[in-house]
Amino acid sequence: MPRPYAATLSALLAALALGRAGRRLRAEASAEAEKLRREALLKEYGEVCSNFRLLTDIRFKLLALLPVATAVAVATSHQAGGLIAVAVSLFGLAVTIGLVVYNARNDQLYIELVGRAAAIERSLGLPDGAFANRPRAWLRIELPLMRWKIEHGTGIALIYKASIALWLFGVLAPLLELARVALLRARWPGLDPTAPANWVEPSAVPQLVAFALAVLLTWRVAARVNAQRKSRQDRMRDSARSAVETAAAMDWTDIADSPTLLRDCVDLTGADSSDELEARARFYAGLGAAAVDHYAPRELPLDMPTSDPALRLAAYRIALLTDLPPRWLLDCASERRLPSAPPG
């Protein structure tokens, strides 16, 4: 074979060998990166499950102790009567409301942990995992005036409502009794208001009225809180969809200069103004592409499926502004789980 042809053939063979070696190295690097990612996901999954168990344990202990402590405290303070009973009941009512607020925040974290665990299971190739396929509450009991939904939230709400109503009763009953005694003494100075009548104990009527008022107030306030929560959730889903769809066609500079988008983000966070959000957007706009990838990587995880990759990137960008989970934002934008009404 002539020397020029031999040299050309040798060069081609060397190039092919280098190409195969390069592909092998890239495949090995990709496999190593995937291995490290799976290890990181498994470690995170363990932490998520640990936090999930911790929140469940806290909830169980609160639900076990609160009703017993409430009943004992109200009964004990009722024996003392007067302003002491009112003070103790007010203290217990304040503590119980604080626990309700604490539990509501824990519920938000609890739901997010379930969602994150499900996403990790899907990323690890376990679409039928315990969290990814967690059954929803399916049992309903038909009652004469209502439909009773068998789920955690129903039982928790019932315990907290009963505890609050009992504390309210502890506040109202002594006050109504004091008012009854004062009224009788004012109208009939010679009458002993503590002497039992032939048909009823002296404090029975105020106690019945206090019980009815406590139940009514608890029910009305709970209904109002639930209505506000539902309205807030609907508005947040609308704002999330609008923000993600708008951000999909923008870069960070455009986001910082968009009053409409920042207004949606303000509604998502509940902030008083858009100053902090605008400052965040300008911070990310001033970073280089490599630095921004540290916060919102271009290679987005497959546990956030969508036909439009721009929506996934936009969900991460809105998450950086609002501190909300990008998975939830993408769900709202793609209407995967909770469809929202078109933004007004």
Side-chain angles (χ1 to χ4, degrees), residues 215-250:
V215 173
L216 180 61
L217 284 173
T218 303
W219 177 77
R220 289 291 297 171
V221 171
R224 185 172 180 83
V225 169
N226 287 334
Q228 290 184 10
R229 181 178 60 182
K230 185 179 184 305
S231 175
R232 173 64 175 159
Q233 289 174 341
D234 292 341
R235 190 168 68 251
M236 285 186 66
R237 287 196 293 268
D238 291 341
S239 297
R241 189 180 73 166
S242 175
V244 173
E245 290 178 348
T246 304
M250 293 182 173

Side-chain angles (χ1 to χ4, degrees), residues 109-245:
L109 300 176
Y110 182 93
I111 293 171
E112 172 55 25
L113 287 174
V114 172
R116 180 55 186 161
I120 293 175
E121 288 176 349
R122 296 187 184 101
S123 296
L124 294 173
L126 298 172
D128 55 347
F131 290 97
N133 270 340
R134 195 176 188 215
R136 65 171 59 244
W138 51 267
L139 181 57
R140 307 288 190 277
I141 297 178
E142 298 292 340
L143 298 175
L145 298 178
M146 62 180 297
R147 175 183 293 182
W148 192 265
K149 187 177 182 180
I150 306 301
E151 63 173 357
H152 288 144
T154 304
I156 293 171
L158 179 61
I159 292 175
Y160 279 119
K161 289 176 185 177
S163 299
I164 289 175
L166 188 56
W167 284 121
L168 275 176
F169 171 78
V171 173
L172 295 173
L175 291 178
L176 291 177
E177 174 62 15
L178 290 174
R180 183 190 74 88
V181 171
L183 179 62
L184 290 177
R185 284 177 175 170
R187 296 190 62 179
W188 296 285
L191 179 66
D192 182 7
T194 62
N198 294 328
W199 58 280
V200 67
E201 288 294 324
S203 60
V205 173
Q207 288 178 358
L208 289 174
V209 174
F211 177 78
L213 286 176
V215 173
L216 180 61
L217 284 173
T218 303
W219 177 77
R220 289 291 297 171
V221 171
R224 185 172 180 83
V225 169
N226 287 334
Q228 290 184 10
R229 181 178 60 182
K230 185 179 184 305
S231 175
R232 173 64 175 159
Q233 289 174 341
D234 292 341
R235 190 168 68 251
M236 285 186 66
R237 287 196 293 268
D238 291 341
S239 297
R241 189 180 73 166
S242 175
V244 173
E245 290 178 348

